[in-house]
Amino acid sequence: MGNIAAAQTGASLYGSFIARCEEMLGISEPAEGVGCKQRASKCSLPLVTKGEDALAVASAFRSVYVDGNPACERYWSGNRMVADSFLASSILVLNEYMPESDRTFKGLLALVEMESVGSRVSPLDLLYEQISTGIKTVPKRSVALLGQSGEVDRATAERALGRASIEGLTCIWSPLRRRSDGAMPAHNKRADGLSGFTPDEDACLALYERYRTASPADRLIAVEEAKAAISFAIDPCRQRASEVSYSLLDALEASAHRAVLSGSASNELLLAESNDGLNRCMDALRSSGLG
């Protein structure tokens, strides 16, 4: 695909993404509920409720925003299953369990950033835990403060969650409701007598479980790649500090030195450092053919 950052705008990339989604989902009309009337962060994701369709959208997203993107090259592992499963599960959770206003690139980035591969239990794990158990863990003080009800007795919560209660936290029945059929994890009774959905009953869980079975290294790559790609989708013109060229950093350094000296030229050390920075910048530009 080449360097996607070379010439395309956010709008043209989004158009390519939607066209690719329509192609992979086998539809000829614009995907339902998709639009980009505001900023790129508000661009909507296609409405999907099946695991295979979410995987298709994830694959379309990666083909447009990951392949050929220099910001994602360092995260490439070749294991598309892990990356596709992680993205697809996040896309499906936004479609099935979150408000429609969150079904955007901004909402997707917020969800992806909840994952922390190095943590024993990440905030994202807790969200999927609500789907699999029907139980939400909250601070005790918030129950009374927010008027929440439906506390789960400790024995039931510990059996469902597989861990002891944590001081200062309590469990309530999750208010999550699946949009496609209206089913609530808290009201669904499993064969073992507990509440919640199994991966066979919920595609979000099945995709997340597939992602979780991968090695920590592959999961970390998938998460970092997703964050870089979604950030690029939201703002193709923005560069992270780690991506800024050395010559540009030199120019910024020189500019800062000049600003310090603007009121007084008495600091010869700063002046010398500024000149050195400018010289390094110009040498780098000349060597690249841009100077």
Side-chain angles (χ1 to χ4, degrees):
M1 187 176 186
N3 190 337
I4 63 177
Q8 297 196 61
T9 64
S12 65
L13 287 167
Y14 181 68
S16 298
F17 165 58
I18 295 304
R20 183 66 174 145
C21 287
E22 291 170 356
E23 176 187 341
M24 298 188 73
L25 293 173
I27 56 179
S28 57
E29 299 297 326
E32 180 183 352
V34 170
C36 183
K37 298 180 180 178
Q38 303 181 57
R39 298 185 304 274
S41 62
K42 299 292 186 180
C43 287
S44 299
L45 296 166
L47 180 58
V48 290
T49 57
K50 298 179 180 179
E52 58 266 31
D53 290 343
L55 281 168
V57 173
S59 180
F61 179 88
R62 297 185 74 245
S63 71
V64 173
Y65 292 106
V66 175
D67 296 347
N69 186 346
C72 297
E73 286 178 354
R74 68 176 64 186
Y75 306 119
W76 179 256
S77 68
N79 193 340
R80 296 189 72 104
M81 183 275 289
V82 182
D84 280 349
S85 297
F86 177 65
L87 259 182
S89 64
S90 300
I91 290 168
L92 202 54
V93 162
L94 288 177
N95 273 281
E96 287 282 52
Y97 291 104
M98 300 299 158
E100 186 175 349
S101 59
D102 287 338
R103 187 163 49 89
T104 63
F105 284 154
K106 183 178 180 180
L108 183 60
L109 181 60
L111 197 62
V112 165
E113 288 182 333
M114 289 172 61
E115 172 64 322
S116 177
V117 176
S119 301
R120 187 173 65 87
V121 179
S122 72
L124 191 60
D125 290 331
L126 294 178
L127 174 60
Y128 282 95
E129 186 176 78
Q130 287 189 59
I131 301 173
S132 64
T133 66
I135 293 175
K136 181 179 182 180
T137 303
V138 297
K140 285 184 178 179
R141 62 180 181 277
S142 71
V143 174
L145 184 64
L146 300 177
Q148 293 172 315
S149 58
E151 285 191 64
V152 184
D153 69 85
R154 177 176 293 186
T156 299
E158 291 183 352
R159 180 185 169 207
L161 301 179
R163 61 173 183 268
S165 300
I166 301 175
E167 186 67 28
L169 299 178
T170 190
C171 293
I172 62 173
W173 293 112
S174 171
L176 289 180
R177 182 186 297 273
R178 195 161 56 192
R179 180 176 288 106
S180 58
D181 59 6
M184 297 179 67
H187 294 173
N188 187 66
K189 294 300 180 184
R190 303 187 325 212
D192 58 7
L194 296 172
S195 297
F197 296 130
T198 65
D200 290 336
E201 298 172 316
D202 190 273
C204 302
L205 282 175
L207 289 167
Y208 193 64
E209 184 177 75
R210 186 188 301 176
Y211 154 76
R212 287 285 296 173
T213 59
S215 69
D218 281 343
R219 283 189 284 127
L220 181 61
I221 288 173
V223 173
E224 292 303 314
E225 178 190 88
K227 288 193 289 188
I230 301 167
S231 296
F232 176 78
I234 291 173
D235 188 354
C237 297
R238 179 180 299 171
Q239 283 183 292
R240 298 197 303 180
S242 59
E243 307 295 337
V244 175
S245 67
Y246 182 67
S247 60
L248 179 54
L249 289 176
D250 278 340
L252 292 174
E253 175 190 54
S255 177
H257 290 158
R258 289 198 305 275
V260 171
L261 293 171
S262 61
S264 171
S266 60
N267 194 324
E268 294 183 2
L269 178 58
L270 277 178
L271 181 59
E273 290 179 353
S274 177
N275 287 332
D276 288 343
L278 280 173
N279 289 333
R280 287 197 302 274
C281 177
M282 293 307 297
D283 288 341
L285 289 173
R286 278 191 289 270
S287 65
S288 63
L290 298 176

